Amino acid sequence: MGRRYPYPRFLQLKLTPLEQLRYVIRYPGRKLRAKLDRLWYSKFVYRWVGGPLHDRKYAPWVPYSPEAKAPVVIDPSRPRCRTRHGNAVVYWMRLGATLHPNHARAALQPDGTRGNVQNRTMGWWRREGRSHKLWIIGDVDIRADDVVFIDAVSQDLIYDAPPADSSDLLERELATHPPFVDALANDKFAAVAHSMLMHLDWIRTGTREAGTFDSLHHMIACLRNKGEDYLDYKFGDYPVTLTDSERIAHTERMREIMHSLGWRTYTADELKARMREDFRIRVGRRVEAWRRLDDLEARPAGSHDVLAKTPPIMDMPLYQGDEAEWLKTLGQEERIAISSQFVQRIKDLANTGRLTPREFEELSRFLI
C-alpha cells in the first residue's frame, strides 16, 4: 500500500504582496462560484436542468441494435452515448474500442417498480436495496423494448481472510474479530474505521511490527455484507454525515478494538522522530541531485531540445509537521541545495538545452 504520512501534509508557501492582492481580489468571485456550483448540483436543479443538459452534450441518443446487443454508433470518437428501451434508458461508456453499459434509468425491477441500476466493474449490476441491504446485487437483461433487473440468488460477496502465516496479520485479526465485524454494521462506524485503517499507521504494541492490508476496501465491504463493493470505500467517499460527537465516539470505539487486539498508532514523539527522519531524507536526496548539476552544466548549450515548461523558483517547501528550527542544523551545502538556487539551475539547464526530458523529470522529483 506504500508509505503514508501520519497526518495530512500541506505545502506552506509564502505569497508575495502581489500574489496576496490577487488572492484577495479573486476570493469573492471564487466564493460566489462555489455557491453557484452547490446550487447547480443540488438534487432538484441538476435532475431537471443540469442532468438533461449534460446528457444532451456528452451522451447523445443513438439507435440500439438487438442483434448486436450494442448501440449503433456513427461517430466512434464519442466516449459516451445512450439508448432508449421503452421506458428505460441505458447509458454506455467506451472502454477501449468497445462500448459497455455503465448504468440504466427506469429499469424494471423484480417487484414491478422502476429504478436506476448500476454496472459494477466486478462483473455484476446492482440496484438500491431496503432495510439492512444498501444494494441488491444482480444482472440486467437489455432488450429492445425494456431493461429488466434480475436479483442474484446469493447476495453475499466472497471474502477469504488472509491465512495465519500471511504478512497481513492485522487484516486477518480484524476480519475474524466478532466485536469489529458486529460494529461494522453501523454505517458511520464503518466510515470512521475504514478511514483510520487507511490513513493511520498501526504497529503491534511492544514491537515495530507494522500492520498491513492486502484488500482493506474489499474486506470492509464483504464483512458488512450490505451489497457494497471495494469501490464504495477505495476513494473514501462515504455516504454518511457525522457530527463531531459521533466521530469522536466511533473513533474511540475503534481505538478500543485495536487496543484489545494489541495494535496502536505512533506516539507524538514517534511521529516527530519520523517527520525529522523524513526531512533528513528529503534534504539528502536534494544534496545528491545538487552535486549532479555540475556535470550537466558542462554540456554544450543546445545539446538537447529546449524544454518549454519549467518549475517556478522557490525554496524546498516545508510541510505540516516540519519544524523550521531543523533548518538551523543544516550545513552550508545543504542550505544551498534546498534553496531556490537549485530550481534556478534546473531552469537554466532546461532553457539552454542541456537536459533531456527524462533527466528533467528525474531532477524535478527532488523539488518536493
Side-chain angles (χ1 to χ4, degrees):
M1 296 176 63
R3 178 178 179 181
R4 291 189 177 89
Y5 293 104
Y7 41 77
R9 298 163 64 80
F10 301 99
L11 296 180
Q12 298 176 341
L13 306 179
K14 293 183 179 180
L15 301 179
T16 65
L18 179 59
E19 289 172 331
Q20 292 178 17
L21 178 61
R22 291 175 60 189
Y23 180 80
V24 171
I25 295 175
R26 292 181 179 180
Y27 179 73
R30 290 177 178 175
K31 195 170 183 180
L32 177 60
R33 175 71 178 274
K35 290 184 178 180
L36 292 175
D37 284 344
R38 284 197 296 271
L39 176 62
W40 178 255
Y41 289 105
S42 62
K43 186 174 182 179
F44 179 81
V45 174
Y46 193 77
R47 177 180 179 182
W48 296 106
V49 181
L53 289 177
H54 180 274
D55 290 345
R56 182 177 179 181
K57 181 177 181 181
Y58 297 104
W61 291 107
V62 298
Y64 177 75
S65 171
E67 294 77 17
K69 294 186 177 182
V72 180
V73 179
I74 300 175
D75 183 0
S77 64
R78 284 193 173 275
R80 295 179 178 86
C81 65
R82 51 184 165 153
T83 54
R84 182 171 294 283
H85 307 257
N87 294 322
V89 176
V90 178
Y91 288 76
W92 303 76
M93 178 179 294
R94 184 175 298 281
L95 297 176
T98 308
L99 285 166
H100 296 268
N102 180 261
H103 63 280
R105 293 181 180 175
L108 182 62
Q109 305 196 16
D111 60 359
T113 62
R114 292 190 175 274
N116 299 335
V117 295
Q118 304 174 353
N119 187 5
R120 308 303 284 175
T121 59
M122 284 64 65
W124 64 72
W125 288 69
R126 72 183 187 184
R127 63 180 178 90
E128 291 187 12
R130 294 191 180 97
S131 185
H132 70 286
K133 283 286 187 180
L134 299 179
W135 300 96
I136 302 298
I137 300 171
D139 202 354
V140 294
D141 181 9
I142 301 177
R143 306 169 183 172
D145 59 348
D146 209 346
V147 175
V148 180
F149 186 91
I150 306 167
D151 291 352
V153 175
S154 173
Q155 293 295 317
D156 297 327
L157 297 181
I158 299 176
Y159 170 75
D160 295 320
D165 58 350
S166 169
S167 60
D168 303 316
L169 185 59
L170 176 55
E171 178 179 344
R172 175 181 173 80
E173 291 185 353
L174 283 172
T176 57
H177 189 54
F180 175 71
V181 177
D182 294 341
L184 284 179
N186 185 300
D187 297 344
K188 296 183 177 181
F189 174 85
V192 172
H194 177 267
S195 180
M196 293 176 66
L197 293 171
M198 184 170 66
H199 295 294
L200 297 179
D201 292 316
W202 296 90
I203 59 174
R204 184 173 291 282
T205 304
T207 71
R208 286 288 181 259
E209 180 183 352
T212 59
F213 289 90
D214 180 55
S215 54
L216 170 63
H217 321 305
H218 181 61
M219 179 193 76
I220 296 291
C222 290
L223 293 180
R224 280 170 51 76
N225 198 27
K226 293 191 176 187
E228 300 162 312
D229 53 57
Y230 80 94
L231 287 177
D232 291 304
Y233 290 93
K234 183 175 181 179
F235 303 106
D237 186 18
Y238 312 116
V240 294
T241 301
L242 293 102
T243 64
D244 291 340
S245 59
E246 288 175 331
R247 188 180 301 278
I248 292 173
H250 291 309
T251 298
E252 183 59 29
R253 173 60 178 147
M254 183 59 183
R255 289 192 180 278
E256 290 175 356
I257 291 175
M258 296 298 289
H259 179 71
S260 69
L261 292 173
W263 295 88
R264 67 174 181 87
T265 54
Y266 290 95
T267 64
D269 289 340
E270 288 172 332
L271 290 177
K272 185 175 180 179
R274 293 186 70 199
M275 297 304 297
R276 181 65 176 269
E277 178 61 22
D278 179 71
F279 177 76
R280 282 292 185 184
I281 292 174
R282 286 164 51 215
V283 171
R285 293 172 65 242
R286 187 105 165 198
V287 171
E288 182 181 350
W290 171 267
R291 293 170 179 169
R292 291 175 50 193
L293 299 183
D294 290 337
D295 292 337
L296 297 174
E297 289 170 340
R299 292 176 177 175
S303 300
H304 304 282
D305 293 336
V306 174
L307 303 178
K309 188 176 181 180
T310 56
I313 300 295
M314 60 181 291
D315 293 342
M316 186 180 80
L318 295 180
Y319 298 115
Q320 181 178 338
D322 291 339
E323 295 184 12
E325 292 296 319
W326 296 349
L327 298 175
K328 298 178 181 179
T329 66
L330 301 180
Q332 182 177 1
E333 184 184 32
E334 292 173 322
R335 289 173 180 268
I336 296 176
I338 69 172
S339 72
S340 59
Q341 293 184 44
F342 178 77
V343 188
Q344 182 63 64
R345 292 178 72 182
I346 295 178
K347 288 178 71 75
D348 292 341
L349 288 168
N351 293 333
T352 57
R354 289 181 166 89
L355 282 179
T356 66
R358 182 174 181 179
E359 290 171 336
F360 176 77
E361 181 181 351
E362 291 177 350
L363 289 172
S364 296
R365 295 174 184 170
F366 299 105
L367 298 183
I368 57 175

